[in-house]
Amino acid sequence: MSADLPLPKSPSPAPTRRLRDIVVIGGLLVLFAAGLIGLAAATGWEETRAQIARLALWQGAVLLALSLANYLLRGLRWHFFARRLGLATTLPQDLRHFLGGFAMVVTPGRVGELVRMRWLKRETGWAFERTAPLALVDRASDLAAMALLLGLSVSLATTGVRGAVPVTLLALAAAVVATRPKLLAGLVTLAHRMTGRVPRIFGRLRASARSLDRFAGAGATIPALFLGIGGWFAEGYAFHLLLGWMGADIGLMKAIAIFVFATLAGGLTGAPGGVGGAEAAMIALLAFEGIPMEVSVPATAIIRVTTLWFALGIGMAVFPFAERHSLRGANALEDR
């Protein structure tokens, strides 16, 4: 064989990654459904089916609308952060990135949502280390908003939600660390000294941490908290409405506390999308309030479908448009 013949090109990893993402999402959906089917079977199919059948289509539409309000408020916050960082992106552009990233919401630790950074690099030319603070402050803002909402709802509820205090403090601590440039840069330096490897990567992480100072101060913190709290309140209110419609009204504040606590607890497990942990926490907390399994199981299933899986559906619908627009943006940058 001639040495001048070109070597065969290795297959592109993109189709493989896409197939893996689909398999992961499909597997999680199967596990989620299997777990809830098992719980429903344990409590009796007839009771579970009867509770779900009680909901009208308009009630389902209200639940989805409240979830959509959450996504739009947090998308507006993403745009606010992008402008604070110095990105000259438009609101429709940032909403496209934010909503499209939900396609990766069930990846472990939701790291797949960093696809937004890839879209930004294509469309603006900004490297990952320059846009990474945007993802970090967005996640930290969510933790802070949910922790404050949980603390407020627990303080206003007639009885406390078990375990709420440590989860609230842990979420607030994570939010504080993630939004303190000097503290975060110091932790990155400490990690580098402990490992002694990949200095280039740690250097980029330190540079990203220092750029968080653009989000410091009341001018950035207060609007972000209002948008975050408003968004998560909408979904907590949806859970309150759902329980009332199913004949298990436990009060607005307690319903919000249980929803937010379960969402945080599921996220702290590290499981993709909090699947498993969030459902278990929600059902257990409802049981502590005297809600029977034939109500708590379908209520948990419905609220998770209208929040987590609805977000996934929106992400899957927007993702192709975001990918296509980002490729056009990359081509436009090359032509300049």
Side-chain angles (χ1 to χ4, degrees), residues 301-317:
I302 292 169
I303 201 63
R304 290 292 274 171
V305 167
T306 59
T307 54
L308 174 67
W309 301 111
F310 180 46
L312 175 63
I314 291 175
M316 296 292 282

Side-chain angles (χ1 to χ4, degrees), residues 57-247:
L57 287 177
W58 70 266
Q59 292 172 324
V62 169
L63 298 180
L64 294 177
L66 288 168
S67 290
L68 185 60
N70 176 30
Y71 309 146
L72 292 178
L73 285 171
R74 289 163 58 205
L76 183 60
R77 186 187 63 194
W78 177 272
H79 174 66
F80 172 72
F81 283 148
R83 301 311 295 263
R84 293 280 300 194
L85 189 61
L87 285 163
T89 47
T90 64
L91 178 58
Q93 186 178 10
D94 285 327
L95 285 177
R96 185 173 67 241
H97 296 162
F98 184 76
L99 296 177
F102 283 155
M104 302 296 175
V105 72
V106 292
T107 52
R110 297 174 65 173
V111 295
E113 292 185 42
L114 292 177
V115 69
R116 296 165 180 152
M117 307 300 103
R118 184 181 68 172
W119 293 332
L120 282 170
K121 182 177 181 179
R122 287 176 176 175
E123 297 175 27
T124 66
W126 283 39
F128 176 83
E129 57 265 27
R130 294 183 67 190
T131 57
L134 179 58
L136 185 61
V137 75
D138 180 73
R139 188 63 52 82
S141 184
D142 263 342
L143 285 173
M146 295 176 77
L148 291 174
L149 184 58
L150 177 59
L152 178 63
S153 57
V154 168
S155 66
L156 294 178
T158 53
T159 56
V161 174
R162 300 190 182 193
V165 173
V167 171
T168 300
L169 294 177
L170 186 59
L172 280 175
V176 168
V177 171
T179 53
R180 292 296 180 273
K182 291 183 179 179
L183 177 58
L184 194 57
L187 291 175
V188 172
T189 301
L190 179 62
H192 177 225
R193 290 174 179 172
M194 292 175 63
T195 60
R197 298 180 180 179
V198 289
R200 186 176 180 182
I201 293 178
F202 278 108
R204 290 180 175 179
L205 289 174
R206 274 193 296 269
S208 297
R210 293 190 184 102
S211 64
L212 285 170
D213 57 2
R214 301 193 180 201
F215 306 107
T221 304
I222 294 177
L225 281 176
F226 270 109
L227 290 170
I229 291 174
W232 289 109
F233 178 88
E235 286 195 344
Y237 182 64
F239 189 50
H240 164 67
L241 289 178
L242 175 63
L243 291 174
W245 292 335
M246 299 180 76

Side-chain angles (χ1 to χ4, degrees), residues 3-74:
D4 295 332
L5 290 175
L7 293 174
K9 293 182 178 180
S10 59
S12 171
T16 303
R17 286 197 301 267
R18 192 174 299 114
L19 177 61
R20 184 176 66 243
D21 291 339
I22 293 174
V23 170
V24 169
I25 292 171
L28 287 168
L29 281 168
V30 170
L31 289 174
F32 173 74
L36 288 175
I37 287 173
L39 285 170
T43 59
W45 284 107
E46 293 301 323
E47 294 88 344
T48 301
R49 186 173 60 186
Q51 288 292 343
I52 295 175
R54 288 179 60 183
L55 292 181
L57 287 177
W58 70 266
Q59 292 172 324
V62 169
L63 298 180
L64 294 177
L66 288 168
S67 290
L68 185 60
N70 176 30
Y71 309 146
L72 292 178
L73 285 171
R74 289 163 58 205

